Amino acid sequence: MSHWIVALIILPGLVAPVIALAMRYDLVLQRVFSLASTVALVVMAAALYASAATGVIESYELGAWPAPFGIVLVLDRLSGMMVLLTAVLALVVLAYAVASGWDARGRHFHALYQFQLMGLFGAMLTGDVFNLFVFFEILLIASYGLMIHGGGRMRLRGGVQYVIYNLAGSTLFLFALGTVYGVLGTLNMADMAVRAAELPAGDTALLRVAAALLLLVFVLKGALLPLHFWLPNTYALAPAPVAALFAIMTKVGAYAVIRVYTLVFHPGLEATGSMASDAIIPAALITLVVGMIGVLAGGTMARVVAFAAIGSMGTLFLAIGAFTPQATAAALYYLIHSTLAAAVLFLIVDQLRARRGNTALVALPPMAQNGLIAALFFGGAIAMAGMPPLSGFIGKLLVMDALRDHALWVWIWAAILVTSLIAVVGFARAGSMMFWKAEDATTQPVAAEPEARVNAIADHAHPGAALASIGALLGLIIALTVLAGPVMRHAEAAAEQLHERNAYIVAVLGAAEVLDPLTAEPMAQEGEADTTPQTATDEEEG
């Protein structure tokens, strides 16, 4: 058993209160401890990912309580990839927050940031749906504080809307958990998979209700239409580093769908069948279309990027909804890309606010470093729109190829291609208004929209370190493009491991009397022929 798994959760959980209580009046110390903690998280996440990449599934039993009775953390290829992506993004975004001075515009930024990371890592590593709820609440509570960091009437209004939507989702989550526990008598995901396969046909109605409720919760977190209304204002009004980190938060909803609906409520389970796929694919199509149309009608650059993030979630859920190994692999590649692309665009939006006073799509006099900011913007826009040669183009090709045998493939292909063109037009229109038409603008000031009054940064120019953070994110997108082959091989291995449910169940529960969720027959015992990937459990060090 590797204690490094739980260290990813414990470290930010310890650093956050220390910062809040012992360093609340010393910003320099807060920055040092927060950056040091996040660097350590990146190192640990990289080591865990390297371990998971070998195919070993590790189960960590807190307090040595065996599953399914105790709390279990599970490290496999998928969770390893997600924690590494989160840690790297968190480090770059934190560096930007420090360099730009955003962390100094309110109280407790660094403590809330570390609590946010604690919730994110816990959600990605937990093997129990109740603890998934707990970590969701931790990251959401921290995000409430980060959302209104810096103050402002419009930001506070957006924060209230964000809180209301997510409280409704949390309430629904509790109802779903109660239903699952009432039907299956367990909330451990591996144990749920076993018991769902054994459930008599006459008792499956409530299980379908529970599966539907959980799906609603997860797609709300993932901003799938029609449950996306919280996202545009939240992302547009949030402080730039917070919006950039929020790019991974919607992916937590997508991660939960992948995890639960490939392990427990998979298409081979007779009780639920293709229920999840039948609901996700049409909703994802509409989300993609609505999101990219919003790029054309955003009104401000911040809302343009927010709607682009919604559209990217539509593309992601199209791949997830197929629930095949090939489609899941494509989804994982696109998940990495869309997270980085959204984050870089939100940071660029902040640069525009700092130089123009607002992000309204109107012509204004040229701003400082106009050419550099324009180059960064068009790099991020090309990535988000899915144009060659960057990783967005590769990701969309992978998604289309994975769905070519789907019954709705014509609609899926048409939606992806047409919305990509719409995104190109929308970003080109926004960029030309921001950068190229600036030369012809009058020197008359343009009235700032409410968002600008909240976010305008008077007499403040971001230092080069902030631009370097944006460049680092673009560099990661370029690396993802150049290394598309190796990254895709890792994604395919993760997808195969996800759809081979036995290995996960054995790693968590042990081999004895564990049933195959598909056949409901006992799996191989110790001493029999090993038909699953090697696993590691708590007993190895015991």
Side-chain angles (χ1 to χ4, degrees):
M1 175 182 66
S2 173
H3 294 288
W4 292 112
I5 299 175
V6 74
L8 273 177
I9 301 170
I10 291 177
L11 177 60
L14 290 177
V15 170
V18 170
I19 290 175
L21 297 175
M23 308 173 192
R24 59 189 305 174
Y25 300 114
D26 192 330
L27 182 61
V28 174
L29 270 181
Q30 290 181 39
R31 288 174 169 177
V32 169
F33 271 72
S34 188
L35 284 168
S37 171
T38 310
V39 169
L41 290 172
V42 171
V43 173
M44 287 189 289
L48 290 175
Y49 176 76
S51 174
T54 64
V56 172
I57 300 178
E58 293 190 65
S59 173
Y60 185 94
E61 297 169 348
L62 275 73
W65 283 87
F69 308 106
I71 298 173
V72 176
L73 303 178
V74 183
L75 176 71
D76 63 357
R77 284 188 169 107
L78 174 62
S79 56
M81 184 195 81
M82 291 297 295
V83 296
L84 179 59
L85 174 62
T86 302
V88 171
L89 177 66
L91 179 59
V92 177
V93 170
L94 182 60
Y96 182 92
V98 171
S100 63
W102 262 112
D103 61 334
R105 296 174 202 177
R107 305 292 293 272
H108 307 304
F109 176 88
H110 290 285
L112 290 170
Y113 198 88
Q114 294 298 314
F115 275 128
Q116 176 93 351
L117 295 182
M118 175 188 175
L120 287 168
F121 290 134
M124 293 164 184
L125 290 168
T126 185
D128 182 294
V129 287
F130 180 78
N131 287 292
L132 179 62
F133 166 79
V134 171
F135 286 118
F136 267 13
E137 293 309 297
I138 291 173
L139 70 89
L140 287 172
I141 290 170
S143 71
Y144 300 154
L146 289 173
M147 168 65 196
I148 61 174
H149 178 76
R153 182 175 59 86
M154 291 300 295
R155 183 171 294 144
L156 183 60
R157 180 185 297 177
V160 170
Q161 181 189 45
Y162 174 67
V163 169
I164 291 172
Y165 268 97
N166 281 281
L167 283 178
S170 298
T171 303
L172 191 62
F173 203 167
L174 280 176
F175 290 157
L177 292 178
T179 307
V180 169
Y181 191 78
V183 175
L184 299 178
T186 183
L187 294 175
N188 179 281
M189 285 188 270
D191 200 31
M192 285 168 59
V194 174
R195 297 195 186 195
E198 298 173 325
L199 199 66
D203 298 333
T204 57
L206 273 179
L207 187 65
R208 287 193 291 272
V209 171
L213 289 175
L214 283 175
L215 186 62
L216 280 175
V217 173
F218 297 153
V219 298
L220 170 64
K221 307 298 184 186
L224 195 66
L225 194 137
L227 303 174
H228 71 294
F229 297 106
W230 61 272
L231 191 147
N233 280 341
T234 298
Y235 280 40
L237 296 174
V242 176
L245 184 64
F246 279 10
I248 195 67
M249 278 184 55
T250 51
K251 306 308 185 298
V252 175
Y255 165 83
V257 172
I258 295 173
R259 174 68 72 194
V260 174
Y261 290 85
T262 57
L263 177 63
V264 182
F265 305 116
H266 52 87
L269 183 67
E270 186 177 351
T272 54
S274 62
M275 179 188 72
S277 180
D278 293 342
I280 289 175
I281 295 290
L285 278 172
I286 300 172
T287 303
L288 173 58
V289 173
V290 170
M292 292 310 178
I293 290 176
V295 172
L296 281 176
T300 68
M301 185 65 82
R303 290 183 66 82
V304 165
V305 176
F307 276 106
I310 293 175
S312 71
M313 290 306 297
T315 304
L316 177 60
F317 273 109
L318 281 174
I320 292 173
F323 293 111
T324 64
Q326 184 183 2
T328 302
L332 296 180
Y333 182 90
Y334 190 80
L335 183 151
I336 301 172
H337 156 78
S338 61
T339 301
L340 298 175
V344 74
L345 284 173
F346 281 119
L347 296 186
I348 291 170
V349 166
D350 188 54
Q351 293 290 307
L352 294 173
R353 284 197 184 111
R355 288 162 171 77
R356 300 174 96 244
N358 62 56
T359 63
L361 298 181
V362 294
L364 290 176
M367 60 184 174
Q369 296 179 304
N370 188 74
L372 175 59
I373 303 301
L376 293 172
F377 168 76
F378 283 106
I382 288 170
M384 179 61 84
M387 293 295 291
L390 295 180
S391 53
F393 177 71
I394 298 172
K396 289 189 175 183
L397 282 182
L398 291 170
V399 172
M400 292 168 65
D401 182 57
L403 298 176
R404 68 184 185 276
D405 294 327
H406 194 276
L408 298 176
W409 75 270
V410 174
W411 293 99
I412 293 170
W413 279 41
I416 292 175
L417 293 173
V418 172
T419 55
S420 295
L421 177 60
I422 292 173
V424 170
V425 174
F427 277 118
R429 171 179 170 272
S432 62
M433 186 65 71
M434 282 282 178
F435 304 109
W436 294 340
K437 291 187 179 180
E439 298 293 340
D440 302 325
T442 66
T443 56
Q444 284 295 110
V446 177
E449 73 278 12
E451 170 209 342
R453 289 198 295 270
V454 172
N455 293 291
I457 305 168
D459 302 323
H460 177 77
H462 288 29
L467 292 175
S469 298
I470 297 175
L473 286 176
L474 280 174
L476 290 173
I477 293 174
I478 294 171
L480 183 62
T481 306
V482 175
L483 301 175
V487 172
M488 194 58 193
R489 284 193 290 274
H490 282 273
E492 288 169 347
E496 290 174 4
Q497 190 178 64
L498 280 167
H499 289 271
E500 171 49 58
R501 289 166 287 277
N502 296 357
Y504 186 99
I505 295 171
V506 171
V508 175
L509 300 178
E513 298 302 322
V514 175
L515 301 181
D516 187 319
L518 288 177
T519 65
E521 295 177 354
M523 295 195 295
Q525 306 294 313
E526 291 186 16
E528 298 180 9
D530 184 12
T531 60
T532 65
Q534 180 187 3
T535 61
T537 68
D538 176 44
E539 298 175 356
E540 290 186 1
E541 287 191 10

